[in-house]
């Protein structure tokens, strides 16, 4: 990619930087809009917000194509957007409409789009890593050159399924990438308490794979380590683990009063660990991009979201007979 | 007598038992909350705030926040129980049992039998069941049929606060593994509950309505719907027995058979998926041992054989309704 750089010292092309910015900013604006729509009563159930972690999903997924796989978590909107799920169809799904990505059967915690290699958000903590190992096995068996990425929280990193998955991926030398998003919390419990060794990457390394730590608020850093992992996977080099550190910008779920955090903690982090702010500062200081080009993208995103909300609110609800559809292919 | 909600009596009962018996302790994800955090120590008190205040009274040694590692901490409860403790563990949503089921059905539930009666596992597992919160396919299941099918495990499904207190007290004092399934939609359901402690024995059904024309057996939140239907029908001169088994293992078979002996008509209401449900189990019991009393076919009212859908319109259709129950009652009453 370096050869295509329009600016001498930029780590990627101008087009790639603009595209990455668009993804990150879409995720943030999407999540902010979700909160509004949730509070307006337009979203059933509950939602978990990904805002603040945009650089991780984006930095990883900008290295992937539709043939690569990702598995996600209960906090999955950002992963979906970064992997290319259509925002209007996600919106319809989250608003439980029959034209949503999963026909309104899934909801926020179960958005999937297999045509994009998005194997599903997952409401079972630690549910996705074994599935991602399976997708990596498919890639290896069929020799497609694809890689498979599981996104896993710090809390989820303590699940047995996760440890077993890492070992299996090492034993079978699969193109699997274990991305740990250490946002400091699993619900109301800190990672510093629940991760005994306090070192998720270190634990992964002990399974016998390269494991790196990266600043989750730095898109360029995440993109670079992810590129290395993806290249390794594509070239038969086996699995990699990445621990990206960040903080949770909001509550565990939208509406969580976060009593377990002292006043001001979130606000401070929102300033200091703001990946979008970091990105804009960097690209403007280095003169890789102009603020004007970013502002154009901003306004396009707002239009996209307005239209998505209007479209979703007008979309049909599932019909009674839909209840019985798709339990089996045939029965 | 004071009025209390199910949410209130869970914390109250657990606390009383922990004061009474020092071997009883509580463990699970965020049963206190705030472990290692900058803010409040008692931040969650369980997913629904059921255990608020307990870490303050008992400390983190007896109100233990765990990592998200169900196999380990549910299994550890079995191991601790087999070696002298009396753990109460919170699984949060029953759906998470998928992660740790081996430790329940292959381990703790089999100790006593497999080891020739020389070991026991006095564990209580608390879990939330049921649809209705728009929580989707992995957070809305019942799963009591699967659990009831495990020999060695006891299954408790209270429908009101009074029963919850008495049954939970029994569960904690019981020397076998007991899983207590609490319906999410019932946490704020309230009724009169005495302050002093009392036990409700397992395998003793409650008759929440009495009448000779038809027997309705209902579980958990379905009891309230069955009661509403019974009240409506009473106004039309149809008198129904509504039986809440309260525990599905052991099951009060005699109460059901005796009621059907009088009424000759049975409707079983169960929020579980139809196949292998408790409705199917109870229907087979009556067909087997109460056939001669039956004056009409048995009707089951259950969820369909589908996962729980997310969309509210579909979820409402999925959950058995009062109209479904009433239609079933009318069907068995047809001459
Ligand atoms: C098997 C299982 N156990 C527990 C839960 C409840 N739960 C949902 S999210 C969550 C915290 C997850 O923390 P982490 O992995 O750090 O992800 P984050 O919420 O920070 O994105 C818990 C305990 C669950 N959904 N599934
Ligand atoms: Mg986390």
């Amino acid at each position: 990619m370096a050869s295509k750089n329009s600016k001498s010292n930029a780590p990627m092309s101008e087009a790639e930087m603009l595209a990455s910015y668009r993804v990150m900013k879409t995720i943030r604006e999407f999540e902010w809009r979700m909160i509004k729509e949730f509070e307006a009563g337009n979203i059933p159930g509950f939602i978990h917000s990904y805002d603040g972690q945009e650089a991780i999903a984006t930095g990883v997924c900008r290295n992937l194509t539709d043939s690569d796989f990702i598995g996600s978590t209960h906090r999955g909107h950002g992963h979906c957007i970064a992997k290319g799920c259509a925002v209007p169809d996600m919106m319809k799904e989250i608003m439980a409409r029959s034209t949503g990505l999963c026909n309104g059967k899934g909801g926020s915690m179960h958005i999937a789009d297999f045509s994009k290699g998005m194997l599903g958000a997952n409401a079972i903590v630690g549910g996705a890593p074994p599935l991602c190992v399976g997708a990596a096995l498919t890639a290896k068996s069929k020799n497609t050159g694809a890689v498979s990425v599981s996104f896993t929280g710090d809390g989820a990193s303590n699940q047995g399924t996760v440890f077993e998955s890492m070992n299996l991926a090492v034993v079978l030398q699969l193109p699997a990438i274990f991305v740990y998003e250490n946002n400091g919390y699993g619900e109301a419990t800190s990672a510093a308490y629940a991760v005994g060794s306090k070192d998720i990457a270190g634990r992964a390394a002990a399974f016998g794979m390269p494991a790196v730590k990266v600043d989750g608020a730095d898109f360029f850093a995440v993109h670079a380590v992810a590129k290395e992992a993806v290249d390794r996977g594509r070239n038969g080099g086996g699995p990699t683990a990445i621990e990206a550190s960040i903080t949770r910008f909001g509550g565990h779920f939208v509406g969580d009063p976060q009593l377990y955090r002292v006043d001001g903690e979130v606000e401070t982090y929102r300033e200091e660990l703001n990946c979008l702010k970091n990105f804009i500062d960097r690209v403007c200081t280095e003169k890789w991009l102009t603020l004007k080009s970013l502002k154009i993208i901003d306004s396009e995103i707002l239009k996209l979201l307005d239209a998505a909300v209007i479209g979703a609110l007008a979309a049909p609800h599932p019909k009674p007979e839909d209840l019985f559809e798709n339990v089996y292919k045939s029965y | 007598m004071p009025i209390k909600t199910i949410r209130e009596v869970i914390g109250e009962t657990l606390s009383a038992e922990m004061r009474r018996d020092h071997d009883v302790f509580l463990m699970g994800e965020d049963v206190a909350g705030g472990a290692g955090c900058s803010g409040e120590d008692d931040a969650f008190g369980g997913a629904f705030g059921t255990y608020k205040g307990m870490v303050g009274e008992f400390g983190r040694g007896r109100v233990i926040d765990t990592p998200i590692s169900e196999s380990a901490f549910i299994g550890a409860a079995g191991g601790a129980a087999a070696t002298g403790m009396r753990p109460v563990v919170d699984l949060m949503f029953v759906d998470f049992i998928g992660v740790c089921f081996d430790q329940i059905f292959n381990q703790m539930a089999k100790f006593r039998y497999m080891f020739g009666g020389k070991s026991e596992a006095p564990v209580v597992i608390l879990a939330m069941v049921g649809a209705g919160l728009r929580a989707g396919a992995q957070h809305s299941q019942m799963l009591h049929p699967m659990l009831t099918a495990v020999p060695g495990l006891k299954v408790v499904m209270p429908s009101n606060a009074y029963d919850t207190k008495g049954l939970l007290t029994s569960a904690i004092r019981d020397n076998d593994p007991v899983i207590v399934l609490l319906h999410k939609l019932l946490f704020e359901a309230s009724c009169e509950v005495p302050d002093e402690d009392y036990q409700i024995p397992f395998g003793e059904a409650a008759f929440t309505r009495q009448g000779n024309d038809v027997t309705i057996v209902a579980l958990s939140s379905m009891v309230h719907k069955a009661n509403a239907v019974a009240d409506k029908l009473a106004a039309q001169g149809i008198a129904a027995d509504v039986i809440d088994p309260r525990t599905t293992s052991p099951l009060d078979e005699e109460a059901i058979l005796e009621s059907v002996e009088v009424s000759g008509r049975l409707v079983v209401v169960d929020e579980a998926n139809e196949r292998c449900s408790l409705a199917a189990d109870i229907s087979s019991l009556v067909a087997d041992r109460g056939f001669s009393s039956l004056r009409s076919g048995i009707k089951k009212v259950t969820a369909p054989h589908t996962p729980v859908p997310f969309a509210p319109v579909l979820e409402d259709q999925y959950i058995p309704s009062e109209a479904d129950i009433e239609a079933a009652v009318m069907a068995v009453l047809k001459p």
Side-chain angles (χ1 to χ4, degrees):
Chain A
M1 231 179 251
S3 60
K4 282 193 234 148
N5 289 351
S6 53
K7 310 285 149 81
S8 57
N9 64 339
M12 58 186 71
S13 70
E14 185 177 324
E16 180 54 32
M17 281 188 280
L18 287 170
S20 299
Y21 175 76
R22 185 184 295 276
V23 172
M24 282 196 285
K25 185 73 178 206
T26 303
I27 297 172
R28 178 149 314 173
E29 291 292 348
F30 184 89
E31 293 298 45
W32 287 0
R33 192 63 187 256
M34 282 287 104
I35 294 169
K36 259 201 211 154
E37 298 304 323
F38 184 78
E39 284 166 357
N42 291 331
I43 297 174
F46 39 91
I47 52 173
H48 306 86
S49 189
Y50 191 76
D51 74 323
Q53 300 177 210
E54 297 88 346
I56 305 171
T58 311
V60 171
C61 292
R62 288 306 300 172
N63 286 290
L64 306 179
T65 73
D66 287 355
S67 314
D68 296 310
F69 304 107
I70 69 163
S72 169
T73 69
H74 57 287
R75 200 176 299 288
H77 303 164
H79 306 132
C80 294
I81 292 171
K83 197 66 175 57
C85 295
V87 165
D89 298 344
M90 285 177 61
M91 192 73 81
K92 288 182 193 130
E93 185 58 35
I94 294 167
M95 292 191 179
R97 307 302 162 128
S98 67
T99 45
L101 266 175
C102 305
N103 300 355
K105 293 273 187 65
S108 164
M109 289 197 290
H110 302 290
I111 299 177
D113 185 348
F114 279 61
S115 72
K116 299 285 182 191
M118 202 303 172
L119 307 182
N122 207 310
I124 298 298
V125 166
L131 304 173
C132 291
V133 169
L137 181 59
T138 299
K140 184 170 178 176
S141 304
K142 293 184 183 280
N143 203 13
T144 62
V147 299
S148 177
V149 180
S150 70
F151 289 95
T152 303
D154 48 279
S157 81
N158 299 313
Q159 278 291 32
T161 51
V162 178
F163 298 133
E164 294 177 24
S165 297
M166 288 196 285
N167 189 50
L168 185 59
V170 170
V171 169
L172 302 182
Q173 280 297 294
L174 299 176
I177 300 168
F178 298 90
V179 175
Y180 294 102
E181 300 189 65
N182 186 348
N183 63 7
Y185 294 92
E187 286 187 355
T189 296
S190 83
Y193 169 82
V195 178
S197 72
K198 307 195 193 327
D199 182 3
I200 296 171
R203 283 198 311 210
F207 279 94
M209 72 183 104
V212 290
K213 291 183 202 255
V214 67
D215 176 359
D218 182 346
F219 163 77
F220 291 105
V222 175
H223 190 277
V225 296
K227 182 172 188 320
E228 210 176 299
V230 170
D231 289 345
R232 179 177 298 121
R234 294 207 200 289
N235 297 327
T240 304
I242 297 169
E243 178 183 355
S245 56
I246 189 66
T247 190
R248 216 178 55 207
F249 267 31
H252 171 57
F253 50 88
V254 173
D256 173 9
Q258 300 193 76
L259 303 173
Y260 45 91
R261 302 175 97 168
V262 282
D263 286 345
E265 180 189 306
V266 186
E267 292 73 12
T268 311
Y269 282 147
R270 273 175 174 272
E271 259 316 292
E272 290 170 1
L273 298 175
N274 188 336
C275 63
L276 271 159
K277 185 170 166 293
N278 292 349
F279 181 94
I280 296 167
D281 285 353
R282 179 91 188 270
V283 297
C284 291
T285 312
E286 304 263 12
K287 299 203 187 328
W288 293 337
L289 300 174
T290 63
L291 204 51
K292 193 173 155 222
S293 61
L294 301 180
K295 292 267 187 261
I296 293 169
I297 292 176
D298 290 350
S299 63
E300 287 168 359
I301 291 169
L302 292 181
K303 274 190 212 122
L304 168 77
L305 289 172
D306 283 343
V309 169
I310 291 168
L313 287 172
H317 295 279
K319 292 190 290 295
E321 59 268 30
D322 295 342
L323 177 62
F324 308 100
E325 281 284 306
N326 288 320
V327 182
Y328 303 95
K329 175 82 176 177
S330 63
Y331 190 60
Chain B
M1 214 187 289
I3 304 284
K4 296 170 194 170
T5 63
I6 288 186
R7 190 171 50 71
E8 287 164 345
V9 301
I10 295 167
E12 176 187 306
T13 308
L14 253 171
S15 297
E17 289 302 296
M18 284 174 65
R19 273 174 222 127
R20 188 188 58 79
D21 181 346
H22 212 80
D23 291 336
V24 179
F25 68 97
L26 173 65
M27 178 160 69
E29 291 156 22
D30 291 300
V31 290
C37 299
S38 57
E40 269 179 43
D41 216 25
D42 191 13
F44 255 41
F48 280 25
T50 336
Y51 314 121
K52 271 269 184 199
M54 288 182 61
V55 72
E57 177 174 357
F58 300 104
R60 286 199 171 269
R62 294 183 72 200
V63 177
I64 303 175
D65 277 343
T66 67
I68 309 172
S69 309
E70 287 87 3
S71 268
F73 78 77
I74 297 285
T83 51
M85 301 297 286
R86 304 189 73 85
V88 177
V89 275
D90 183 304
L91 181 60
M92 215 182 305
F93 292 78
V94 78
D95 314 67
F96 309 161
I97 210 161
V99 176
C100 55
F101 199 32
D102 177 68
Q103 291 294 329
I104 298 170
F105 87 99
N106 268 327
Q107 309 298 337
M108 64 177 79
K110 291 188 170 50
F111 286 172
R112 185 186 299 282
Y113 190 82
M114 194 168 66
F115 298 145
K118 298 189 182 82
S119 167
E120 60 186 17
V123 177
V124 176
I125 301 171
L126 294 167
M128 291 187 284
V129 296
L133 286 191
R134 288 57 170 114
Q138 296 174 341
H139 275 62
S140 306
Q141 300 167 87
M142 293 298 294
L143 302 187
H144 58 276
M146 182 176 95
L147 297 162
T148 304
V150 177
L153 185 64
K154 293 177 178 171
V155 184
V156 176
M157 302 182 74
S159 66
N160 62 62
Y162 179 87
D163 289 354
T164 301
K165 177 165 173 172
L167 291 165
L168 183 54
T169 305
S170 295
I172 294 171
R173 297 180 193 178
D174 198 279
N175 286 335
D176 289 309
V178 181
I179 185 157
V180 180
L181 303 173
L182 302 156
H183 202 289
K184 301 174 190 93
L185 299 185
L186 295 182
F187 270 71
E188 301 309 319
S190 60
C191 65
E192 288 189 337
V193 181
D195 286 328
E196 53 277 6
D197 90 67
Y198 58 93
Q199 285 183 254
I200 294 175
F202 295 164
E204 218 171 82
F207 284 72
T208 60
R209 294 292 183 276
Q210 293 196 351
N212 292 340
D213 299 327
V214 57
T215 301
I216 307 174
V217 181
L219 292 158
S220 191
S221 72
M222 291 298 136
V223 173
H224 300 272
K225 292 189 179 182
N227 286 342
V229 170
D231 292 344
K232 184 175 168 196
L233 295 177
Q236 299 167 24
I238 300 165
D241 260 350
V242 177
I243 300 180
D244 174 1
R246 303 195 286 200
T247 62
T248 61
S249 179
L251 178 69
D252 189 347
E253 300 180 347
E254 296 317 314
I256 297 167
L257 290 167
E258 278 165 23
S259 172
V260 174
E261 203 175 306
V262 175
S263 71
R265 303 173 200 280
L266 176 66
V267 172
V268 196
V269 192
D270 185 3
E271 193 190 313
N273 302 111
E274 179 176 4
R275 297 296 315 280
C276 302
S277 60
L278 251 290
D281 186 62
I282 290 168
S283 298
S284 81
L285 164 80
V286 173
D288 184 6
R289 290 178 43 203
F291 189 75
S292 58
S293 331
L294 286 171
R295 275 180 271 159
S296 77
I298 298 166
K299 280 281 170 202
K300 293 179 289 180
V301 181
T302 66
H305 188 62
T306 76
V308 183
F310 164 63
V313 286
L314 297 182
E315 190 180 34
D316 290 345
Q317 186 190 338
Y318 171 94
I319 303 168
S321 68
E322 288 176 25
D324 296 334
I325 300 169
E326 190 178 338
V329 170
M330 291 331 246
V332 300
L333 283 169
K334 270 216 188 90

